[in-house]
């Protein structure tokens, strides 16, 4: 299986719009047992990669939709352990990306976490509460794996900081499009595209815009300056409300932008 970077870069080279839906593991009527069918559904409808969220009691980057999904997931008995065990049963050529806060990973055991992920299709990690200066808590364990630690770059990052964050970036660059938490309904800054264009010029790694992406017009707008988008709250809410056909249509349209 290709690495996350190889997979997305190949799609980028083919001028494909990169579409990465986010789902909360365990936010399903079957609990974590429903995770494989949700992944299969997203793969079938054109996902370039899939971001799998791990529920946590203090999700500082999550807006209300994803926070509620995490609460539902925890009530369903979801743990990092049963998510990883479930992911070991999933066979897919579409890379998975774990989005977690550091606490569950620390409790699980960092080395054990990375070792166990090697038996899954997980090829990337997003850790929003681990700053660049503390990445050395996890990067030594990634050294002999094909799992990328995806950098997040915010609007408040000064140019020098942006360059540092994307230096030697693996997988893709997660460009946060708002100051605040995830969720639809944000107003984007007038100079956002200039910011995103700058990121695209700093690195050869694919750049994906995330936070608040909920319409095809959003996808079209971001596609002018970056390689694709991450779609979270819209997907999570629609799947919870049993609007899977709407999600399928959205993903198909987005991938054709």
């Amino acid at each position: 299986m290709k690495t996350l970077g190889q997979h997305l870069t190949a799609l980028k080279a083919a001028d494909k719009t990169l579409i990465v839906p986010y789902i909360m593991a365990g936010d399903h009527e079957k609990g974590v047992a429903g995770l494989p069918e949700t992944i299969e559904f997203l793969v079938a409808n054109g996902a370039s990669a899939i971001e799998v969220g791990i529920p946590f009691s203090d999700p500082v980057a999550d807006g209300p939709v994803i926070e509620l999904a995490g609460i539902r997931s925890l009530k369903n008995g979801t743990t990092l352990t049963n998510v990883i065990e479930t992911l070991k049963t999933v066979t897919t050529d579409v890379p998975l990306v774990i989005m977690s806060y550091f606490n569950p990973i620390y409790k699980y055991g960092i080395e054990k976490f990375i070792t166990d992920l090697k038996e899954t299709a997980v090829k990337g990690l997003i850790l929003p509460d681990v700053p660049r200066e503390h990445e050395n808590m996890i990067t030594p364990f990634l050294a002999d794996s094909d799992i990328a630690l995806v950098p997040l770059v915010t609007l408040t990052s000064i140019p020098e900081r942006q360059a540092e964050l994307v230096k030697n970036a693996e997988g893709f660059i997660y460009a946060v499009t708002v100051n605040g938490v995830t969720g639809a309904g944000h107003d984007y800054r007038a100079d956002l595209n200039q910011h995103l264009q700058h990121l695209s010029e700093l690195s050869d790694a694919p750049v994906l815009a995330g936070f608040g992406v909920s319409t095809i017009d959003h996808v079209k707008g971001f596609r002018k300056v970056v390689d694709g988008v991450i779609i979270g709250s819209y997907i999570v809410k629609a799947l919870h409300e049993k609007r899977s056909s709407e999600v399928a249509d959205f993903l198909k349209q987005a991938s054709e932008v």
Side-chain angles (χ1 to χ4, degrees):
M1 185 176 176
K2 295 178 180 177
T3 66
L4 177 62
Q6 289 169 341
H7 178 81
L8 295 180
T9 299
L11 293 175
K12 175 183 175 180
D15 202 29
K16 301 288 187 181
T17 298
L18 305 182
I19 304 297
V20 179
Y22 168 98
I23 53 175
M24 176 63 73
D27 183 29
H28 190 283
E29 59 189 10
K30 297 179 183 176
V32 75
L35 183 57
E37 66 184 65
T38 304
I39 290 172
E40 184 178 350
F41 165 77
L42 295 173
V43 169
N45 285 288
S48 306
I50 299 168
E51 189 179 339
V52 180
I54 304 299
F56 181 52
S57 57
D58 189 21
V60 294
D62 294 345
V65 169
I66 293 178
E67 186 173 2
L68 284 173
I71 291 170
R72 291 192 297 266
S73 177
L74 290 170
K75 286 182 177 178
N76 285 338
T78 307
T79 65
L80 183 54
T81 298
N82 60 27
V83 170
I84 291 176
E85 290 306 308
T86 301
L87 290 177
K88 288 179 181 178
T89 71
V90 174
T91 302
T92 176
D93 290 330
V94 172
L96 308 180
V97 181
I98 290 285
M99 201 299 283
S100 178
Y101 295 94
F102 187 68
N103 185 280
I105 296 171
Y106 181 78
K107 183 178 178 182
Y108 188 93
I110 301 170
E111 184 172 10
K112 175 175 168 54
F113 172 69
I114 300 302
T115 298
D116 289 350
L117 286 187
K118 292 177 184 179
E119 300 178 46
T120 73
V122 172
K123 299 299 175 185
L125 290 177
I126 298 171
L127 303 173
D129 61 346
V130 177
R132 182 74 163 196
E133 291 75 14
H134 294 157
E135 286 179 357
N136 59 357
M137 294 187 295
I138 196 162
T139 49
F141 303 105
L142 295 172
D144 64 346
S145 78
D146 60 358
I147 300 170
L149 184 59
V150 175
L152 288 96
V153 183
T154 69
L155 293 172
T156 57
S157 302
I158 62 174
E160 293 80 7
R161 178 69 169 174
Q162 292 176 23
E164 172 62 23
L165 290 172
V166 305
K167 184 181 179 181
N168 302 319
E170 296 181 342
F172 64 89
I173 296 165
Y174 194 135
V176 179
T177 58
V178 299
N179 292 324
V181 296
T182 61
H186 288 291
D187 292 324
Y188 292 120
R189 275 173 32 168
D191 62 346
L192 176 58
N193 278 9
Q194 183 180 348
H195 165 77
L196 295 174
Q197 179 69 43
H198 178 65
L199 284 183
S200 294
E201 293 168 355
L202 285 175
S203 174
D204 292 331
V207 177
L208 301 180
F211 282 40
V213 180
S214 58
T215 70
I216 295 300
D217 282 343
H218 287 157
V219 181
K220 289 178 179 178
F222 289 134
R223 187 65 178 95
K224 294 175 183 177
V225 286
V226 295
D227 303 300
V229 294
I230 298 162
I231 310 163
S233 296
Y234 170 84
I235 298 284
V236 169
K237 189 172 189 290
L239 290 178
H240 177 62
E241 295 174 352
K242 311 295 187 187
R243 292 184 282 123
S244 57
S245 60
E246 182 182 317
V247 172
D249 289 342
F250 187 98
L251 292 176
K252 289 173 181 175
Q253 286 183 58
S255 63
E256 295 170 357
V257 167

